[in-house]
Amino acid sequence: MSGAGTARLAVLLSGRGSNLVAIADACRRGEVPAEIVLVLSNKADAAGLERARERGIPARVVPAKGLSREEHERQLIAALEKAQVEWVCLAGYMRLLTPLFIERFFPRIVNVHPALLPSFPGVEAQRQAWEYGVKVAGCTVHLVDAGCDTGPIVLQRTVEVGEDDTPETLSARILEQEHIAYPTALRRLLTRPWRLDGRRLVFE
Ligand code: GRF
């Protein structure tokens, strides 16, 4: 399906798209042996759509409004299958996926979460961590299962939390690490043999 060891990726997003840019740049530089063949968003005004188009990546909106979760996902799956997508990267995609979608693509669905899971799942993770008073925060790249931020961990990167940090400064430093972590995780998944041992993702 994909030539010369190049995996066909799709990115699903709902907003800014800075992780999309980080992945796309890493693919272009040859650091990740993959090509982003499609970007899908549930939000028509997601800035990430424009980031994709600027790079010549096909980008489409699949609105969720008025559809059941499953019907929306059937439309996503149809678009992904048409583009012969092998891996799905969530990058700021603000909807939980149902078992319908997960069963179609697991274990080749990846997400980045802006906290050291299993701490602080869900929304505003950086603020949750800051309010809790952690001294070390970070981000997690994980495979996606049907739970909320519960899938097997691929890799994590840390940042120290300073006395002067605010949720905003902490988020910005975590985001820098996300942009390193996501391409690094994809490179490992695509170039090294790995297996799942329970919920532990083990690189051979
Ligand atoms: C990131 O903080 C990511 O960890 C979270 O959503 C945000 C997406 O940012 N899941 P961007 O759209 O990639 O800039």
Side-chain angles (χ1 to χ4, degrees):
M1 200 158 59
S2 33
T6 302
R8 296 176 68 84
L9 310 189
V11 174
L12 268 56
L13 52 77
S14 304
R16 186 173 55 183
S18 69
N19 280 287
L20 160 70
V21 169
I23 297 167
D25 288 352
C27 291
R28 189 177 38 75
R29 291 193 298 262
E31 293 163 11
V32 175
E35 181 188 0
I36 303 175
V37 295
L38 184 62
V39 169
L40 295 177
S41 174
N42 60 316
K43 297 280 182 204
D45 60 355
L49 290 166
E50 199 44 44
R51 300 285 87 75
R53 290 179 186 132
E54 287 163 4
R55 288 165 175 76
I57 302 169
R60 277 189 48 196
V61 183
V62 181
K65 204 168 173 340
L67 302 180
S68 70
R69 303 189 74 78
E70 282 77 10
E71 185 49 38
H72 181 242
E73 289 183 1
R74 268 191 276 276
Q75 294 189 11
L76 294 177
I77 291 169
L80 295 168
E81 288 184 341
K82 191 162 174 230
Q84 296 182 297
V85 166
E86 298 163 305
W87 286 79
V88 178
C89 301
L90 309 184
Y93 184 65
M94 300 303 285
R95 288 173 65 87
L96 269 183
L97 295 166
T98 77
L100 176 82
F101 191 99
I102 304 291
E103 281 162 22
R104 172 61 185 79
F105 286 101
F106 187 86
R108 292 187 302 279
I109 315 172
V110 190
N111 182 43
V112 63
H113 181 73
L116 296 174
L117 292 170
S119 294
F120 314 117
V123 296
E124 293 204 55
Q126 308 94 322
R127 175 176 290 279
Q128 291 183 51
W130 180 84
E131 284 176 353
Y132 195 91
V134 300
K135 302 301 185 196
V136 179
C139 63
T140 303
V141 180
H142 64 95
L143 304 184
V144 176
D145 63 14
C148 177
D149 303 321
T150 51
I153 292 171
V154 184
L155 76 81
Q156 298 181 297
R157 290 182 66 93
T158 59
V159 304
E160 295 209 355
V161 184
E163 303 296 328
D164 298 336
D165 265 317
T166 63
E168 291 72 28
T169 60
L170 181 58
S171 297
R173 288 212 315 293
I174 292 173
L175 190 65
E176 288 173 10
Q177 296 305 312
E178 294 180 37
H179 296 163
I180 300 168
Y182 214 152
T184 306
L186 290 173
R187 180 183 172 82
R188 282 189 199 163
L189 288 168
L190 294 171
T191 60
R192 288 168 58 174
W194 55 271
R195 65 188 160 84
L196 288 174
D197 175 11
R199 57 159 297 117
R200 294 174 55 249
L201 193 154
V202 182
F203 287 99
E204 311 282 5

Coordinates of all heavy atoms in Angstrom, one line a residue, residues 104-189:
R104 N -11.5 0.0 14.1 CA -11.1 0.1 12.7 C -9.6 0.3 12.6 O -8.9 -0.3 11.8 CB -11.9 1.1 11.9 CG -11.4 1.4 10.5 CD -11.5 0.2 9.6 NE -10.9 0.5 8.3 CZ -9.6 0.5 8.1 NH1 -8.7 0.2 9.0 NH2 -9.1 0.7 6.8
F105 N -9.0 1.1 13.5 CA -7.6 1.5 13.3 C -6.7 1.1 14.4 O -5.4 1.1 14.2 CB -7.5 3.0 13.1 CG -8.0 3.5 11.8 CD1 -9.2 4.1 11.6 CD2 -7.2 3.3 10.6 CE1 -9.7 4.5 10.3 CE2 -7.6 3.7 9.4 CZ -8.9 4.3 9.2
F106 N -7.2 0.7 15.6 CA -6.3 0.3 16.7 C -5.3 -0.8 16.2 O -5.8 -1.7 15.5 CB -7.1 -0.2 17.9 CG -6.2 -0.5 19.1 CD1 -5.9 0.5 20.0 CD2 -5.7 -1.7 19.4 CE1 -5.1 0.3 21.1 CE2 -4.9 -2.0 20.5 CZ -4.6 -1.0 21.3
P107 N -4.0 -0.8 16.5 CA -3.3 0.1 17.4 C -2.7 1.2 16.7 O -1.8 1.9 17.3 CB -2.3 -0.8 18.1 CG -1.9 -1.7 16.9 CD -3.1 -1.9 16.1
R108 N -3.1 1.5 15.5 CA -2.4 2.6 14.7 C -3.1 3.9 14.8 O -3.4 4.6 13.8 CB -2.2 2.1 13.3 CG -1.2 0.9 13.2 CD -0.9 0.6 11.8 NE -2.1 0.2 11.0 CZ -2.7 -1.0 11.0 NH1 -2.2 -1.9 11.8 NH2 -3.7 -1.2 10.3
I109 N -3.5 4.3 16.1 CA -4.0 5.6 16.4 C -3.2 6.2 17.5 O -3.0 5.5 18.5 CB -5.5 5.5 16.9 CG1 -6.3 4.6 16.0 CG2 -6.1 7.0 16.9 CD1 -7.7 4.4 16.6
V110 N -2.7 7.4 17.3 CA -1.7 8.0 18.2 C -2.3 9.4 18.6 O -3.0 10.0 17.9 CB -0.3 8.2 17.5 CG1 0.7 8.5 18.5 CG2 0.1 6.9 16.8
N111 N -1.9 9.7 19.9 CA -2.4 11.1 20.4 C -1.2 11.7 21.2 O -0.4 11.0 21.7 CB -3.6 10.9 21.3 CG -4.2 12.2 21.8 OD1 -4.2 13.2 21.0 ND2 -4.5 12.3 23.1
V112 N -1.3 13.0 21.3 CA -0.4 13.7 22.3 C -1.2 14.4 23.3 O -2.2 15.0 23.0 CB 0.6 14.7 21.6 CG1 -0.1 15.8 20.9 CG2 1.6 15.2 22.6
H113 N -0.8 14.2 24.6 CA -1.6 14.8 25.7 C -0.6 15.7 26.5 O 0.5 15.2 26.8 CB -2.2 13.7 26.6 CG -3.0 14.3 27.7 ND1 -4.2 14.8 27.5 CD2 -2.7 14.4 29.0 CE1 -4.7 15.3 28.7 NE2 -3.8 15.0 29.6
P114 N -1.0 16.9 26.8 CA -0.1 17.8 27.5 C 0.1 17.6 29.0 O 0.0 18.6 29.8 CB -0.6 19.2 27.1 CG -2.1 18.9 27.1 CD -2.3 17.5 26.5
A115 N 0.3 16.4 29.4 CA 0.5 16.0 30.8 C 1.2 14.7 30.9 O 1.2 14.0 29.9 CB -0.8 16.0 31.6
L116 N 1.8 14.4 32.0 CA 2.4 13.1 32.2 C 1.4 12.1 32.7 O 1.1 12.0 33.9 CB 3.6 13.2 33.2 CG 4.7 14.1 32.8 CD1 5.7 14.3 34.0 CD2 5.4 13.6 31.6
L117 N 0.7 11.4 31.7 CA -0.3 10.5 32.1 C 0.3 9.3 32.9 O 1.4 9.0 32.8 CB -0.9 9.9 30.8 CG -1.7 10.9 29.9 CD1 -2.1 10.3 28.6 CD2 -3.0 11.4 30.7
P118 N -0.5 8.7 33.8 CA -2.0 8.9 33.9 C -2.4 10.1 34.8 O -3.6 10.2 35.1 CB -2.4 7.6 34.6 CG -1.2 7.2 35.5 CD 0.0 7.7 34.7
S119 N -1.5 11.0 35.1 CA -2.0 12.2 35.8 C -2.6 13.2 34.8 O -2.1 13.3 33.7 CB -0.8 12.9 36.5 OG -0.3 12.1 37.5
F120 N -3.6 13.8 35.3 CA -4.3 14.9 34.6 C -4.7 14.6 33.1 O -4.3 15.3 32.2 CB -3.3 16.1 34.5 CG -2.7 16.4 35.9 CD1 -1.3 16.3 36.1 CD2 -3.5 16.7 37.0 CE1 -0.8 16.6 37.3 CE2 -3.0 17.0 38.2 CZ -1.6 16.9 38.4
P121 N -5.6 13.6 33.0 CA -6.2 13.4 31.7 C -7.3 14.5 31.5 O -7.6 15.3 32.4 CB -6.9 12.0 31.9 CG -7.2 11.9 33.4 CD -6.0 12.7 34.0
G122 N -7.9 14.5 30.3 CA -9.0 15.4 30.0 C -8.5 16.8 29.6 O -7.3 17.0 29.2
V123 N -9.4 17.7 29.7 CA -9.1 19.1 29.2 C -8.3 19.9 30.2 O -8.3 19.6 31.4 CB -10.4 19.9 28.8 CG1 -11.2 19.2 27.7 CG2 -11.3 20.0 30.0
E124 N -7.6 20.9 29.7 CA -6.8 21.9 30.4 C -5.8 21.1 31.4 O -5.7 21.5 32.5 CB -7.7 22.8 31.2 CG -8.5 23.8 30.3 CD -8.9 25.0 31.0 OE1 -8.0 25.7 31.6 OE2 -10.1 25.3 31.0
A125 N -5.2 20.2 30.8 CA -4.3 19.3 31.6 C -3.1 20.2 32.2 O -2.7 19.9 33.3 CB -3.7 18.2 30.7
Q126 N -2.6 21.1 31.4 CA -1.5 21.9 31.9 C -1.9 22.7 33.2 O -1.2 22.9 34.1 CB -1.0 22.9 30.9 CG -0.6 22.2 29.5 CD -1.8 22.3 28.5 OE1 -2.9 22.1 28.9 NE2 -1.4 22.5 27.3
R127 N -3.2 23.3 33.1 CA -3.7 24.1 34.2 C -3.9 23.2 35.4 O -3.6 23.5 36.5 CB -5.0 24.8 33.8 CG -5.6 25.5 35.0 CD -6.8 26.3 34.5 NE -6.5 27.5 33.7 CZ -6.0 28.6 34.2 NH1 -6.0 28.8 35.5 NH2 -5.7 29.6 33.4
Q128 N -4.5 22.0 35.1 CA -4.7 21.0 36.2 C -3.4 20.7 37.0 O -3.3 20.7 38.2 CB -5.2 19.7 35.7 CG -6.6 19.6 35.1 CD -6.9 18.2 34.7 OE1 -6.7 17.2 35.5 NE2 -7.3 18.0 33.5
A129 N -2.3 20.5 36.2 CA -1.0 20.2 36.8 C -0.5 21.4 37.6 O 0.0 21.2 38.7 CB 0.0 19.7 35.7
W130 N -0.6 22.5 37.0 CA -0.1 23.8 37.7 C -0.9 24.0 39.0 O -0.3 24.3 40.0 CB -0.3 24.9 36.7 CG 0.2 26.2 37.2 CD1 1.5 26.7 37.2 CD2 -0.6 27.2 37.9 NE1 1.5 28.0 37.8 CE2 0.2 28.3 38.2 CE3 -2.0 27.3 38.2 CZ2 -0.2 29.4 38.9 CZ3 -2.4 28.5 38.8 CH2 -1.6 29.5 39.2
E131 N -2.2 23.8 38.9 CA -3.0 24.1 40.1 C -2.7 23.0 41.2 O -2.7 23.3 42.4 CB -4.5 24.0 39.8 CG -5.0 25.3 39.1 CD -6.4 25.3 38.7 OE1 -7.1 24.3 38.7 OE2 -6.9 26.4 38.2
Y132 N -2.4 21.8 40.7 CA -2.1 20.8 41.7 C -0.7 21.1 42.4 O -0.5 20.6 43.5 CB -2.0 19.4 41.0 CG -2.0 18.2 41.9 CD1 -3.2 17.6 42.3 CD2 -0.8 17.7 42.5 CE1 -3.2 16.5 43.1 CE2 -0.8 16.7 43.3 CZ -2.0 16.1 43.7 OH -2.0 15.0 44.5
G133 N 0.1 21.8 41.7 CA 1.4 22.2 42.3 C 2.5 21.2 42.0 O 3.5 21.1 42.7
V134 N 2.4 20.5 40.9 CA 3.5 19.5 40.5 C 4.8 20.3 40.2 O 4.8 21.5 39.8 CB 3.1 18.7 39.3 CG1 1.9 17.8 39.5 CG2 3.0 19.5 38.0
K135 N 5.9 19.7 40.5 CA 7.2 20.3 40.2 C 7.8 19.8 38.9 O 8.7 20.4 38.3 CB 8.2 19.9 41.3 CG 7.7 20.4 42.7 CD 7.5 21.9 42.8 CE 7.1 22.3 44.2 NZ 6.5 23.7 44.2
V136 N 7.2 18.7 38.3 CA 7.6 18.2 37.0 C 6.3 18.0 36.2 O 5.4 17.3 36.7 CB 8.4 16.9 37.1 CG1 8.8 16.4 35.7 CG2 9.7 17.1 37.9
A137 N 6.3 18.6 35.1 CA 5.1 18.4 34.2 C 5.7 17.8 32.9 O 6.8 17.5 32.8 CB 4.4 19.7 34.0
G138 N 4.8 17.8 31.8 CA 5.3 17.3 30.6 C 4.2 16.8 29.6 O 3.1 17.3 29.8
C139 N 4.6 16.0 28.7 CA 3.6 15.5 27.7 C 3.8 14.0 27.5 O 4.8 13.4 27.8 CB 3.8 16.3 26.4 SG 5.4 16.0 25.6
T140 N 2.7 13.4 26.9 CA 2.7 12.0 26.7 C 2.2 11.7 25.3 O 1.2 12.3 24.9 CB 1.7 11.3 27.7 OG1 2.1 11.6 29.0 CG2 1.7 9.8 27.5
V141 N 2.9 10.9 24.6 CA 2.4 10.4 23.3 C 2.0 9.0 23.6 O 2.7 8.2 24.1 CB 3.5 10.4 22.2 CG1 2.9 9.9 20.9 CG2 4.0 11.8 22.0
H142 N 0.7 8.7 23.2 CA 0.2 7.4 23.5 C -0.7 6.8 22.4 O -1.2 7.6 21.6 CB -0.6 7.4 24.8 CG -1.8 8.3 24.8 ND1 -3.1 7.8 24.5 CD2 -2.0 9.6 25.0 CE1 -4.0 8.8 24.5 NE2 -3.3 9.9 24.8
L143 N -0.8 5.5 22.4 CA -1.8 4.9 21.5 C -3.2 5.2 22.0 O -3.3 5.4 23.2 CB -1.6 3.4 21.3 CG -0.2 3.0 20.9 CD1 -0.2 1.4 20.7 CD2 0.2 3.6 19.6
V144 N -4.2 5.3 21.1 CA -5.5 5.6 21.6 C -6.4 4.4 21.7 O -6.5 3.6 20.8 CB -6.1 6.7 20.6 CG1 -7.5 7.0 21.0 CG2 -5.2 7.9 20.5
D145 N -7.0 4.3 22.9 CA -8.0 3.2 23.0 C -9.4 4.0 23.3 O -9.4 5.2 23.1 CB -7.6 2.2 24.1 CG -7.5 2.9 25.5 OD1 -8.0 4.0 25.7 OD2 -7.0 2.2 26.4
A146 N -10.4 3.2 23.7 CA -11.7 3.8 23.8 C -11.9 4.7 25.0 O -12.9 5.4 25.2 CB -12.8 2.7 23.8
G147 N -10.9 4.8 25.9 CA -11.0 5.6 27.1 C -10.5 7.0 26.8 O -10.1 7.4 25.7
C148 N -10.6 7.9 27.8 CA -10.1 9.3 27.7 C -8.6 9.4 28.1 O -8.4 9.3 29.3 CB -11.0 10.2 28.5 SG -10.4 11.9 28.4
D149 N -7.7 9.4 27.2 CA -6.3 9.5 27.5 C -5.7 8.3 28.3 O -4.9 8.5 29.2 CB -6.0 10.9 28.2 CG -6.4 12.1 27.5 OD1 -6.3 12.1 26.2 OD2 -7.0 13.0 28.1
T150 N -6.2 7.1 27.9 CA -5.9 5.9 28.7 C -5.0 4.9 28.0 O -4.6 3.9 28.6 CB -7.1 5.2 29.2 OG1 -8.0 5.0 28.0 CG2 -7.9 6.0 30.2
G151 N -4.7 5.2 26.7 CA -4.0 4.1 25.9 C -2.6 3.9 26.2 O -2.0 4.7 27.0
P152 N -2.0 2.9 25.7 CA -0.6 2.5 26.0 C 0.4 3.7 25.7 O 0.3 4.3 24.6 CB -0.3 1.3 25.1 CG -1.6 0.7 24.9 CD -2.6 1.8 24.9
I153 N 1.3 3.9 26.6 CA 2.3 5.1 26.4 C 3.4 4.7 25.5 O 4.0 3.7 25.6 CB 2.8 5.5 27.8 CG1 1.6 6.1 28.6 CG2 3.9 6.5 27.7 CD1 2.0 6.4 30.1
V154 N 3.7 5.6 24.5 CA 4.8 5.4 23.6 C 6.0 6.2 24.1 O 7.1 5.6 24.2 CB 4.5 6.0 22.2 CG1 5.6 5.7 21.2 CG2 3.2 5.4 21.7
L155 N 5.9 7.4 24.5 CA 7.0 8.1 25.2 C 6.5 9.4 25.9 O 5.4 9.9 25.6 CB 8.1 8.4 24.2 CG 8.1 9.5 23.2 CD1 8.4 10.9 23.8 CD2 9.1 9.3 22.1
Q156 N 7.3 9.8 26.8 CA 6.9 11.0 27.6 C 8.1 11.9 27.6 O 9.3 11.5 27.6 CB 6.5 10.6 29.0 CG 5.3 9.8 29.0 CD 4.8 9.4 30.4 OE1 5.5 8.7 31.1 NE2 3.6 9.8 30.7
R157 N 7.9 13.2 27.7 CA 9.0 14.2 27.9 C 8.6 15.1 29.0 O 7.4 15.5 29.2 CB 9.3 15.0 26.6 CG 9.9 14.1 25.5 CD 10.2 14.9 24.3 NE 11.3 15.9 24.5 CZ 12.6 15.7 24.3 NH1 13.0 14.6 23.9 NH2 13.4 16.7 24.5
T158 N 9.6 15.5 29.8 CA 9.3 16.3 31.0 C 9.7 17.8 30.9 O 10.6 18.1 30.1 CB 10.0 15.7 32.3 OG1 11.4 15.7 32.0 CG2 9.5 14.3 32.5
V159 N 9.1 18.6 31.7 CA 9.6 20.0 31.9 C 9.5 20.3 33.4 O 8.6 19.8 34.1 CB 8.8 21.1 31.1 CG1 8.7 20.8 29.6 CG2 7.4 21.2 31.6
E160 N 10.4 21.1 33.9 CA 10.4 21.5 35.3 C 9.4 22.6 35.4 O 9.3 23.5 34.6 CB 11.8 21.8 35.8 CG 12.7 20.6 35.8 CD 13.7 20.7 36.9 OE1 13.8 21.7 37.6 OE2 14.5 19.7 37.0
V161 N 8.7 22.7 36.5 CA 7.8 23.8 36.8 C 8.5 24.7 37.7 O 8.9 24.4 38.8 CB 6.5 23.3 37.4 CG1 5.5 24.4 37.6 CG2 5.9 22.1 36.6
G162 N 8.6 26.0 37.3 CA 9.3 27.0 38.1 C 8.3 27.8 39.0 O 7.1 27.8 38.7
E163 N 8.8 28.5 40.0 CA 8.0 29.3 40.9 C 7.2 30.4 40.1 O 6.1 30.7 40.5 CB 8.9 29.9 41.9 CG 9.7 29.0 42.8 CD 8.9 28.1 43.6 OE1 7.8 28.4 44.0 OE2 9.3 26.9 43.8
D164 N 7.9 30.9 39.1 CA 7.3 32.0 38.3 C 6.3 31.5 37.2 O 5.7 32.3 36.5 CB 8.4 32.8 37.7 CG 9.3 33.4 38.7 OD1 8.8 33.6 39.8 OD2 10.4 33.8 38.4
D165 N 6.2 30.2 37.0 CA 5.4 29.7 35.9 C 3.9 30.1 36.2 O 3.4 30.1 37.3 CB 5.5 28.2 35.8 CG 6.5 27.8 34.7 OD1 6.5 28.4 33.6 OD2 7.3 26.9 35.0
T166 N 3.2 30.3 35.1 CA 1.8 30.4 35.1 C 1.3 29.3 34.2 O 2.1 28.7 33.5 CB 1.3 31.8 34.4 OG1 1.8 31.7 33.0 CG2 1.9 33.0 35.1
P167 N 0.0 29.0 34.2 CA -0.5 28.0 33.3 C -0.1 28.2 31.8 O 0.2 27.3 31.1 CB -2.0 28.0 33.5 CG -2.2 28.5 34.9 CD -1.1 29.5 35.1
E168 N 0.0 29.5 31.5 CA 0.3 29.9 30.1 C 1.8 29.6 29.8 O 2.1 29.0 28.7 CB 0.0 31.3 29.8 CG -1.5 31.6 29.8 CD -2.2 31.6 31.2 OE1 -1.5 31.9 32.2 OE2 -3.4 31.3 31.3
T169 N 2.7 30.0 30.7 CA 4.1 29.8 30.4 C 4.4 28.3 30.4 O 5.2 27.8 29.6 CB 5.0 30.6 31.4 OG1 4.7 30.1 32.7 CG2 4.8 32.1 31.3
L170 N 3.8 27.6 31.3 CA 4.0 26.2 31.4 C 3.5 25.5 30.2 O 4.2 24.6 29.6 CB 3.3 25.6 32.7 CG 3.4 24.1 32.9 CD1 4.9 23.7 33.1 CD2 2.6 23.7 34.1
S171 N 2.3 25.9 29.7 CA 1.7 25.3 28.5 C 2.7 25.5 27.3 O 2.9 24.6 26.5 CB 0.4 25.9 28.1 OG -0.6 25.7 29.1
A172 N 3.3 26.7 27.2 CA 4.2 27.0 26.1 C 5.4 26.1 26.1 O 5.8 25.6 25.1 CB 4.6 28.4 26.1
R173 N 5.9 25.9 27.3 CA 7.1 25.0 27.4 C 6.8 23.5 27.1 O 7.5 22.8 26.5 CB 7.8 25.2 28.7 CG 8.6 26.5 28.8 CD 9.8 26.4 29.6 NE 9.7 25.7 30.9 CZ 8.9 26.2 31.9 NH1 8.3 27.3 31.8 NH2 8.8 25.4 33.0
I174 N 5.6 23.1 27.6 CA 5.2 21.7 27.3 C 5.0 21.6 25.8 O 5.3 20.5 25.2 CB 3.9 21.4 28.1 CG1 4.2 21.3 29.6 CG2 3.3 20.1 27.6 CD1 2.9 21.2 30.5
L175 N 4.4 22.6 25.2 CA 4.1 22.5 23.7 C 5.4 22.3 22.9 O 5.5 21.5 22.0 CB 3.4 23.7 23.2 CG 2.8 23.7 21.8 CD1 1.8 22.6 21.7 CD2 2.3 25.0 21.4
E176 N 6.5 23.0 23.4 CA 7.8 22.8 22.7 C 8.2 21.3 22.8 O 8.7 20.8 21.8 CB 8.9 23.6 23.4 CG 8.8 25.1 23.1 CD 9.9 25.8 24.0 OE1 10.7 25.2 24.6 OE2 9.8 27.1 24.0
Q177 N 7.9 20.7 23.9 CA 8.3 19.3 24.1 C 7.4 18.4 23.3 O 7.8 17.4 22.8 CB 8.3 18.9 25.6 CG 9.3 19.6 26.4 CD 10.7 19.5 25.9 OE1 11.1 18.4 25.5 NE2 11.4 20.6 25.7
E178 N 6.1 18.8 23.1 CA 5.2 18.0 22.3 C 5.7 17.9 20.9 O 5.7 16.9 20.2 CB 3.8 18.6 22.3 CG 3.1 18.6 23.6 CD 1.7 19.2 23.5 OE1 1.0 19.1 22.5 OE2 1.3 19.9 24.5
H179 N 6.3 19.1 20.4 CA 6.7 19.1 19.0 C 8.0 18.2 18.8 O 8.3 17.9 17.6 CB 7.0 20.6 18.6 CG 5.8 21.4 18.7 ND1 5.8 22.8 18.7 CD2 4.5 21.1 18.7 CE1 4.6 23.3 18.7 NE2 3.8 22.2 18.7
I180 N 8.7 17.9 19.8 CA 9.8 17.0 19.7 C 9.2 15.5 19.9 O 9.6 14.6 19.2 CB 10.9 17.3 20.8 CG1 11.4 18.7 20.6 CG2 12.0 16.2 20.8 CD1 12.3 19.2 21.8
A181 N 8.4 15.4 20.9 CA 7.9 14.1 21.3 C 7.1 13.4 20.2 O 7.3 12.2 20.0 CB 7.0 14.2 22.6
Y182 N 6.2 14.1 19.5 CA 5.3 13.5 18.6 C 6.1 12.9 17.4 O 6.0 11.7 17.1 CB 4.2 14.4 18.1 CG 2.9 13.8 17.9 CD1 1.7 14.5 18.0 CD2 2.8 12.5 17.5 CE1 0.4 13.9 17.8 CE2 1.5 11.9 17.2 CZ 0.4 12.6 17.4 OH -0.9 12.0 17.2
P183 N 6.9 13.7 16.7 CA 7.7 13.1 15.6 C 8.6 11.9 16.1 O 8.8 10.9 15.4 CB 8.5 14.2 15.1 CG 7.8 15.5 15.5 CD 7.2 15.1 16.8
T184 N 9.2 12.1 17.3 CA 10.1 11.0 17.8 C 9.3 9.7 18.0 O 9.8 8.7 17.7 CB 10.8 11.5 19.2 OG1 11.4 12.8 18.9 CG2 11.8 10.5 19.7
A185 N 8.2 9.9 18.6 CA 7.3 8.7 18.9 C 6.9 8.0 17.6 O 7.0 6.8 17.4 CB 6.1 9.1 19.7
L186 N 6.6 8.8 16.6 CA 6.2 8.2 15.3 C 7.4 7.5 14.6 O 7.2 6.4 14.1 CB 5.6 9.3 14.4 CG 4.2 9.9 14.8 CD1 3.9 11.1 13.9 CD2 3.2 8.8 14.7
R187 N 8.5 8.2 14.7 CA 9.7 7.6 14.1 C 9.9 6.2 14.8 O 10.2 5.2 14.1 CB 10.9 8.5 14.3 CG 12.2 7.9 13.8 CD 13.4 8.8 14.0 NE 14.6 8.1 13.6 CZ 15.0 8.0 12.4 NH1 14.4 8.7 11.4 NH2 16.1 7.4 12.1
R188 N 9.8 6.1 16.1 CA 10.1 4.8 16.8 C 9.0 3.8 16.4 O 9.4 2.6 16.1 CB 10.0 5.0 18.3 CG 11.3 5.6 18.8 CD 11.3 5.6 20.3 NE 12.3 6.6 20.7 CZ 12.4 7.1 22.0 NH1 11.5 6.7 22.9 NH2 13.3 8.0 22.2
L189 N 7.8 4.2 16.3 CA 6.7 3.2 16.0 C 6.9 2.7 14.6 O 6.5 1.6 14.3 CB 5.3 3.9 16.2 CG 4.9 4.2 17.6 CD1 3.7 5.1 17.6 CD2 4.6 2.9 18.3

